[in-house]
């Protein structure tokens, strides 16, 4: 068992071990709690940065120049490298140790945040955001590896994962508000500088309180990694440029074709690899592939909507950054309630029921927002925004559970990496696609209507996939679980 001071021990009575039950000493429990807080701080920064920047985008554009297409890259550069490198981040955490990769991720995240805050040009912001995404791709899977080491018992780990998951919701929900406050009281640079004290504190505390984890030989699958990043990057670039150059542009068409070729080659490489970063056999289980698909579609709809609605409130309705953050608050208002309700429903009937309910409610909410125009009263948008957020929060825990339950018991880490990578890929595509529609050759409002209709369609498509593919019963005895 690894200790907090970096040594290794097999004696349970050692003061450096990490009991997570009531039998441990007060000092042991405090050390475990401190380690949990450190891990959650890292994860909070990752999720916060996926949403906090949205309300700062108009200010960044006014200060550094650039249209909607350029501002899309401020968001997508982060989520692109995050999504593309998540699975390799998990392999590195297993190969080199969770604490080392976690601290490396914090260093990259902090340094790139500082560069974003100091950047004199938009190009430097976008480049630093790419590095931020690399840091995030190291932080998320390593935090899961560390939680398993900090809380070795099932009961303790379940509580810790519940807290870890709640942190994601809080980060996503508070991002627009925090961003609005920082822009109003400081400047857009504050949304990046705010990361620095938290990252520095987490780095220092991790060295003392976070345990060293066992290492396991894992191939890095460089060929698959390069193809995945190339395929996703080319697809994102083609979607973004379609708004500026047109969907019939030769550059855009070549981008789509090259992306398709890279993604097909990725599937071939992963199918033939001896230790692939994405084991394709996991997708043989209907609940696994359905839950993963729903995760992608949910983020495509929700994060794409968040991007265009942030621009709508500031550029069309002339709200301030703080007013925009407050205007988006209804989406987050019921998040904790919906997440808790999802767990209760799952306990009785499995993940399928809350997924179906959440996807229908969320899709209806996005459809309700879709007619928004230049004179639409804000009061008319409150209920649809709340429904969209409630539906997402009700669906996501259940979708994750359907994936984890369908995976073999020894592939939980890979399964978690797959569903997180799918979600971040959805975020990349949502921002690229909906951003392209509002920046294209039609008016912003026309593009907004089309984009929100697509976002709603993504939710409803997820509902169909759930109905057809997710097990009707609690998934405790699926084919993978019986192995």
């Amino acid at each position: 068992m690894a200790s907090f001071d970096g040594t290794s021990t097999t004696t349970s009575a050692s003061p450096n071990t990490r009991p997570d039950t009531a039998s441990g000493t007060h000092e042991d429990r405090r050390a475990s709690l401190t380690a949990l807080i450190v891990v959650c701080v890292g994860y909070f920064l990752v999720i916060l940065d996926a949403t906090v920047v949205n309300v700062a985008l108009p200010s960044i554009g006014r200060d550094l120049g650039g249209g909607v297409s350029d501002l899309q890259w401020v968001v997508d550069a982060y989520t692109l490298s995050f999504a593309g490198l998540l699975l390799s981040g998990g392999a590195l955490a297993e190969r080199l140790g969770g604490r080392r990769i976690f601290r490396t991720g914090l260093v990259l995240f902090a340094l790139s945040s500082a560069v974003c805050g100091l950047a004199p040009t938009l190009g430097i912001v976008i480049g630093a955001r790419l590095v931020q995404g690399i840091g995030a791709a190291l932080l998320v899977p390593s935090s899961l590896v560390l939680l398993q080491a900090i809380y070795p018992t099932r009961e303790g780990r379940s509580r810790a994962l519940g807290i870890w998951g709640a942190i994601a919701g809080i980060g996503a929900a508070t991002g627009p508000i925090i961003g609005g406050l920082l822009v109003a009281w400081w400047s857009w640079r504050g949304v990046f500088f705010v990361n620095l004290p938290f990252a520095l504190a987490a780095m220092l505390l991790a060295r003392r309180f976070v345990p060293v984890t066992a290492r396991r030989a894992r191939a890095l699958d460089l060929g698959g990694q390069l193809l995945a990043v190339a395929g996703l990057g080319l697809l994102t670039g083609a979607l973004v440029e379609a708004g500026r150059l047109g969907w019939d542009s030769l550059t855009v068409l070549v981008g789509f074709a090259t992306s398709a070729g890279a993604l097909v080659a990725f599937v071939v490489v992963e199918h033939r690899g001896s230790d692939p970063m994405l084991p394709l056999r996991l997708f043989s289980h209907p609940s696994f592939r359905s839950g993963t698909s729903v995760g992608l579609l949910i983020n495509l709809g929700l994060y794409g909507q968040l991007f265009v609605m942030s621009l709508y409130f500031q550029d069309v309705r002339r709200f301030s950054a703080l007013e925009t953050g407050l205007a988006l608050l209804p989406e987050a208002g019921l998040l904790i309630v919906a997440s808790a309700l999802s767990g209760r429903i799952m306990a009785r009937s499995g993940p399928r029921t809350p997924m179906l309910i959440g996807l229908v409610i969320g899709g209806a909410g996005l459809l309700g927002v879709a007619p928004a125009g230049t004179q639409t009263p804000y009061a008319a948008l409150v209920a649809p925004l709340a429904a969209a957020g409630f539906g997402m929060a009700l669906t996501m825990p259940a979708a994750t559970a359907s994936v984890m339950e369908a995976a073999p018991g020894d592939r939980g880490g890979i399964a978690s990496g797959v569903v997180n990578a799918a979600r971040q890929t959805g975020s990349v595509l949502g921002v690229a696609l909906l951003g392209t529609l509002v920046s294209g050759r039609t008016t912003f409002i026309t593009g907004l209507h089309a984009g929100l209709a697509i976002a709603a369609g993504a939710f409803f498509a997820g509902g169909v996939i759930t109905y057809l593919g997710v097990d009707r019963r609690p998934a405790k005895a699926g084919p993978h679980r019986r192995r």
Side-chain angles (χ1 to χ4, degrees):
M1 184 177 290
S3 66
F4 282 108
D5 61 5
T7 61
S8 181
T9 177
T10 57
T11 305
S12 61
S14 168
N16 288 324
T17 58
R18 302 168 316 286
D20 56 23
T21 65
S23 62
T25 67
H26 175 71
E27 185 177 350
D28 292 328
R29 291 194 297 272
R30 186 175 63 179
S32 293
L33 179 60
T34 304
L36 173 62
I37 291 171
V38 170
V39 170
C40 286
V41 166
Y43 190 41
F44 176 79
L45 291 176
V46 167
I47 301 302
L48 178 71
D49 254 59
T51 59
V52 71
V53 176
N54 282 283
V55 296
L57 290 175
S59 297
I60 295 173
R62 287 191 295 270
D63 194 8
L64 301 182
V68 174
S69 297
D70 303 299
L71 296 177
Q72 283 174 265
W73 281 112
V74 175
V75 178
D76 268 347
Y78 176 75
T79 46
L80 176 61
S81 55
F82 184 14
L85 297 170
L86 256 173
L87 293 174
S88 287
L92 283 170
E94 292 183 355
R95 183 174 181 174
L96 301 178
R99 189 176 75 170
R100 175 179 294 181
I101 296 303
F102 183 78
R103 296 186 76 218
T104 302
L106 283 172
V107 170
L108 285 176
F109 200 88
L111 290 177
S112 55
S113 294
V115 173
C116 284
L118 295 170
T121 67
L122 192 61
I124 293 176
V125 173
I126 293 171
R129 288 284 282 171
L130 276 169
V131 180
Q132 261 192 318
I134 296 172
L138 297 178
L139 282 169
V140 171
S142 62
S143 68
L144 286 169
V145 170
L146 290 171
L147 284 181
Q148 289 181 315
I150 297 165
Y151 291 91
T153 67
R154 176 181 292 180
E155 180 183 0
R157 190 181 306 132
S158 296
R159 290 196 302 267
L161 285 172
I163 296 170
W164 186 83
I167 288 296
I170 293 171
T174 58
I177 300 296
I178 294 174
L181 288 171
L182 288 169
V183 172
W185 295 345
W186 188 358
S187 81
W188 63 264
R189 299 180 186 275
V191 303
F192 300 110
F193 286 138
V194 73
N195 295 330
L196 300 182
F198 295 101
L200 179 61
M203 278 188 278
L204 295 174
L205 290 171
R207 182 172 181 81
R208 178 177 178 184
F209 292 101
V210 172
V212 173
T213 58
R215 301 182 187 182
R216 184 167 75 88
R218 279 291 307 276
L220 292 181
D221 190 12
L222 292 178
Q225 181 62 84
L226 291 173
L227 288 168
V229 172
L232 184 56
L234 288 165
L235 177 58
T236 304
L239 286 171
V240 171
E241 291 303 307
R244 186 170 63 90
L245 301 176
W247 292 89
D248 57 350
S249 162
L250 179 62
T251 300
V252 172
L253 295 175
V254 170
F256 283 131
T258 311
S259 168
L263 293 174
V264 169
F266 169 73
V267 172
V268 172
V269 168
E270 297 304 284
H271 178 70
R272 295 179 177 177
S274 58
D275 189 12
M277 70 176 190
L278 180 61
L280 297 179
R281 64 182 179 84
L282 292 175
F283 290 91
S284 64
H285 194 294
S287 289
F288 186 95
R289 60 176 179 265
S290 297
T292 302
S293 300
V294 167
L296 186 150
L297 290 168
I298 282 280
N299 274 35
L300 186 155
L302 199 77
Y303 282 84
Q305 170 264 157
L306 181 62
F307 176 82
V308 296
M309 289 302 292
S310 295
L311 296 177
Y312 164 75
F313 282 125
Q314 293 189 70
D315 290 349
V316 176
R317 303 300 297 272
R318 302 301 177 188
F319 285 20
S320 68
L322 179 56
E323 288 170 336
T324 298
L326 293 172
L328 293 169
L329 186 60
E331 283 197 275
L334 298 175
L335 188 144
I336 295 176
V337 174
S339 296
L341 182 60
S342 180
R344 287 179 176 270
I345 298 173
M346 273 195 288
R348 292 197 303 268
S349 59
R352 185 174 185 267
T353 299
M355 288 173 69
L356 284 173
I357 295 172
L359 288 162
V360 171
I361 291 176
L366 290 170
L367 274 185
V369 180
T374 57
Q375 302 299 322
T376 304
Y378 172 70
L381 302 177
V382 172
L385 285 170
F390 180 88
M392 184 278 293
L394 190 69
T395 303
M396 192 52 70
T400 302
S402 73
V403 171
M404 300 302 289
E405 288 286 351
D410 62 342
R411 304 315 297 268
I414 290 291
S416 175
V418 170
V419 72
N420 276 293
R423 290 175 60 182
Q424 297 309 318
T425 298
S427 301
V428 173
L429 298 180
V431 171
L433 179 57
L434 272 66
T436 292
L437 291 172
V438 299
S439 67
R441 298 173 183 178
T442 59
T443 64
F444 183 98
I445 292 298
T446 301
L448 178 72
H449 295 167
L452 291 175
I454 290 173
F459 272 64
F460 291 137
V464 173
I465 291 170
T466 298
Y467 181 80
L468 297 175
V470 176
D471 199 328
R472 297 173 183 270
R473 301 158 298 172
K476 295 179 180 179
H480 291 306
R481 285 290 180 184
R482 289 196 294 266
R483 291 179 184 176

